[in-house]
Amino acid sequence: MSDPPAATPHPRALRLSVGAAIVVALVVLSVAVGLGLMRGQAPPTESVPLATDAAIDAGSSGELYVHVLGAVEVPGLYVLDVDSRLVDAIAAAGGTTDAADLAAVNLARVLSDGEQIVVPAIGATGAEPGATGPDDGLVDLNAADQAALETLPRIGPALAERIIAWREDNGRFQSVDDLLAVPGIGEKLLAGIRDGVRV
């Protein structure tokens, strides 16, 4: 007994399956073209945060210049890192001589650009870190010790300590007006000592 003849697909069903195949092919082609276009695009531009003024000031050169004099092995001008301390400047100058009075300097003090550092010899005139300038009789805010600061009107031990602490934390006073940044010193107190100090 012979097999019955295979049923021939209905012409309408054949048209539907061909149409579905074409639709699927178009979708696949569209996806492929879209992916190709996306891969060919340039990557998005990276955003760079704006630097703050402090970062520009500190990082513009990344270095500071200091002039080291006095009882050091090799006095001269040295270029140091921005966050250097006085001990780094002395090390750059070859260290101190045997005559150096290290009690007269604060080795931990943060340096500032353009500073001159004098390491006094033991018993040298003016070896006090502080007190007054030889010619003008004014108290140097960047070199004065606590005793010298206490000679100023209305500056007692507590305020003298704050002035020294501010100097150690922030570097040299750039002007007498910088005293206003020291806790406990206001306009009135500054006016009373302005004529007796210098930077």
Side-chain angles (χ1 to χ4, degrees):
M1 187 174 175
S2 63
D3 293 332
T8 58
H10 193 276
R12 185 169 176 198
L14 186 61
R15 271 182 275 174
L16 280 176
S17 61
V18 169
I22 291 173
V23 168
V24 169
L26 287 175
V27 168
V28 170
L29 182 63
S30 298
V31 169
V33 170
L35 287 174
L37 287 175
M38 286 173 49
R39 283 188 190 148
Q41 288 180 342
T45 305
E46 292 182 17
S47 61
V48 179
L50 294 175
T52 62
D53 290 343
I56 291 170
D57 291 342
S60 57
S61 67
E63 57 191 27
L64 52 84
Y65 290 75
V66 292
H67 186 194
V68 186
L69 298 170
V72 293
E73 294 292 344
V74 189
L77 180 67
Y78 293 93
V79 181
L80 303 173
D81 291 333
V82 150
D83 57 352
S84 296
R85 295 181 181 265
L86 193 134
V87 68
D88 300 315
I90 292 175
T96 59
T97 64
D98 292 337
D101 183 4
L102 290 179
V105 292
N106 178 4
L107 295 175
R109 181 170 62 77
V110 176
L111 300 177
S112 57
D113 188 43
E115 183 173 347
Q116 185 180 71
I117 299 161
V118 180
V119 179
I122 296 171
T125 307
E128 279 295 313
T132 58
D135 298 325
D136 56 18
L138 301 178
V139 174
D140 186 340
L141 293 174
N142 290 313
D145 63 2
Q146 183 164 343
L149 291 169
E150 288 179 28
T151 64
L152 296 168
R154 297 179 55 202
I155 300 292
L159 275 179
E161 285 176 10
R162 287 185 208 154
I163 291 170
I164 293 169
W166 189 95
R167 187 174 69 201
E168 290 173 354
D169 292 342
N170 301 286
R172 294 174 60 83
F173 287 95
Q174 301 301 317
S175 74
V176 173
D177 289 330
D178 287 346
L179 279 172
L180 291 173
V182 176
I185 297 182
E187 293 281 356
K188 191 171 182 182
L189 179 56
L190 177 60
I193 64 173
R194 182 184 294 277
D195 293 337
V197 296
R198 63 179 170 85
V199 294

